[in-house]
Amino acid sequence: KIVNTKDASADLKKVLQAERVALQKLRGHRHIVQLDACFSILSSEKTIFTMEYVSGGDLREYVNLSGHL
């Protein structure tokens, strides 16, 4: 997951930080995609989350297509 933080609001930056912390706390949970690393590239103003690969698309796509969980 790559997020452009060049023009990001303070709220978005807080959300990214909270997501990183939450994924770190849930490390090892069998139903949560695992966070491998999270880092910022200052020269391009991007935050990068490297995560476990899970085939089949993402949850948002599934809910949009099926209408429910």
Side-chain angles (χ1 to χ4, degrees):
K1 173 178 176 175
I2 301 172
V3 181
N4 185 347
T5 55
K6 181 177 182 180
D7 298 319
S9 67
D11 287 342
L12 175 59
K13 291 178 182 181
K14 286 180 184 177
V15 167
L16 290 173
Q17 176 69 9
E19 182 176 358
R20 182 186 63 79
V21 169
L23 287 169
Q24 287 175 329
K25 287 182 179 180
L26 293 168
R27 183 168 283 150
H29 191 289
R30 67 184 216 169
H31 297 298
I32 303 294
V33 174
Q34 298 301 294
L35 175 68
D36 293 323
C38 179
F39 52 94
S40 295
I41 301 176
L42 299 176
S43 61
S44 63
E45 297 180 348
K46 294 184 190 289
T47 298
I48 300 173
F49 289 76
T50 58
M51 303 174 81
E52 169 187 21
Y53 174 76
V54 178
S55 64
D58 63 23
L59 182 60
R60 178 182 294 163
E61 181 180 327
Y62 176 83
V63 171
N64 286 340
L65 292 174
S66 68
H68 57 82
L69 287 176

